[in-house]
Amino acid sequence: MGQLLVGEKARLRAAKEVVRPDLPVGQILDGDCIEAMRSLPSASVDLVFADPPYNLQLGGDLARPDGSHVDAVTDHWDQFASFATYDQFTREWLAEARRVLKPNGSLWVIGSYHNIFRVGAILQDMGFWILNDVVWRKANPMPNFKGTRFTNAHETLIWASMGEKAKYTFNYRAMKTLNDELQMRSDWVLPICGGQERLKSGGTKVHPTQKPEALLYRVMLATTNKGDVVLDPFFGTGTTGAVAKRLGREWIGCERESIYRQAALERIELALPLDESALTTMQSARSAPKVAFGLLVETGLIVPGTMVSDKKRKITAQVRADGSLVAGTETGSIHGLGAKLQGAPSCNGWSFWHLEHEGELKPLDAVRQLYLLATED
């Protein structure tokens, strides 16, 4: 009887996690994104993350002071005959995004000053309700080589629900833990995509506007739950798919460029999903000029599942996906859990907790300093 009960519980748990069989999860749909989205059932996805063409309309070439060429977005997919043409395209893909979203789903759109205000006005006209505009402030932006304007050091994300009264997912507790027990603000300081994360072929970038995984990590951790379906109509080289796989979310992509599809599939194949314990994020009780510990997790310097301990290795804990720690039944931030386990009124988690790094036991602050060195101007 006990085994039957265990089996029944497992079956019910699995049934709750089954994604609709008519959804092409884990697939990249070929062709125009609007036509591809029309093949999806209505009210079937939990989140749409869109990184549409910015319609940059660049004139002439960009060059550095030394005369070398600057890679800019001059691809045909970013070229539109007029603002009216771009606006019509925006209405059409947003209409499909709205149709496929569940009533409690939400939309994220990222853009620059070239397009984000136009997109924002259109999505409001269509009934979406803006919850936040989030500024992604780039820790290492490309300089303005011509010296004719301010350096473009940020992009804007719009987070919207399906309507003013619509319910939506927001993992407030996870975001606060990720930010060292401070409320997560709407200005996010993250480096642009670079290093090993930047996909290249023959020494050149595969995609000119590849987004950093840390950005998608924060979006998904904040506004989706394990097993949710995330749709990316402008899939590119698969940042959304790679992060979704890591966080235990399902994904669907739309991408018409074959070179991007191939790069995305190869990249996602290599992405390692986090283990179950690391995926269990802090839940809300309600349902920085400094570096937050969660930022080191987002950027991959500290991998969820990593074991940390005090200097004498008497107290241990495991890092989870939202930057919280778990030790037995106790959870909390690096500071809060450290204090709790010591029975102390407070704790500096940066110096208390240690991890194995390059064959030595080092404090978390050593990893923080590595991050600061990597992102300094």
Side-chain angles (χ1 to χ4, degrees), residues 67-182:
S68 60
H69 179 70
V70 176
D71 291 331
V73 183
T74 55
D75 304 78
H76 65 90
W77 48 258
D78 191 62
Q79 297 170 357
F80 294 83
S82 64
F83 284 131
T85 303
Y86 184 80
D87 291 349
Q88 182 59 33
F89 166 73
T90 300
R91 290 188 192 94
E92 290 181 8
W93 76 255
L94 276 173
E96 285 306 306
R98 186 170 180 82
R99 183 186 64 80
V100 300
L101 273 168
K102 296 177 181 177
N104 61 347
S106 59
L107 169 76
W108 283 85
V109 186
I110 185 170
S112 66
Y113 70 87
H114 304 86
N115 72 321
I116 198 64
F117 303 110
R118 308 186 76 87
V119 173
I122 292 170
L123 67 83
Q124 282 183 308
D125 288 343
M126 297 179 70
F128 286 101
W129 187 259
I130 295 178
L131 299 166
N132 277 115
D133 66 319
V134 174
V135 173
W136 166 32
R137 186 156 67 86
K138 301 173 183 178
N140 49 345
M142 181 185 294
N144 182 277
F145 293 106
K146 291 185 176 181
T148 55
R149 302 183 186 182
F150 297 112
T151 296
N152 291 324
H154 78 278
E155 293 183 30
T156 300
L157 298 96
I158 294 175
W159 175 37
S161 66
M162 292 288 281
E164 182 178 2
K165 305 297 183 182
K167 294 182 178 181
Y168 54 89
T169 296
F170 179 50
N171 296 318
Y172 170 82
R173 179 69 255 175
M175 286 296 97
K176 191 172 181 181
T177 305
L178 196 69
N179 199 39
D180 277 358
E181 291 303 314
L182 296 175

Side-chain angles (χ1 to χ4, degrees), residues 173 177 180-181 282 323-325 330-350 352-353:
R173 179 69 255 175
T177 305
D180 277 358
E181 291 303 314
M282 297 284 286
S324 64
L325 302 183
E330 301 289 349
T331 62
S333 68
I334 59 172
H335 313 296
L337 186 61
K340 185 182 295 184
L341 295 179
Q342 295 179 87
S346 63
C347 170
N348 181 347
W350 292 108
F352 175 74
W353 294 108

Side-chain angles (χ1 to χ4, degrees), residues 24-47:
V25 293
Q27 297 182 39
I28 307 175
L29 307 181
D30 187 4
D32 175 75
C33 71
I34 298 167
E35 289 300 321
M37 283 192 285
R38 285 174 181 161
S39 69
L40 300 177
S42 298
S44 59
V45 305
D46 300 282
L47 183 80

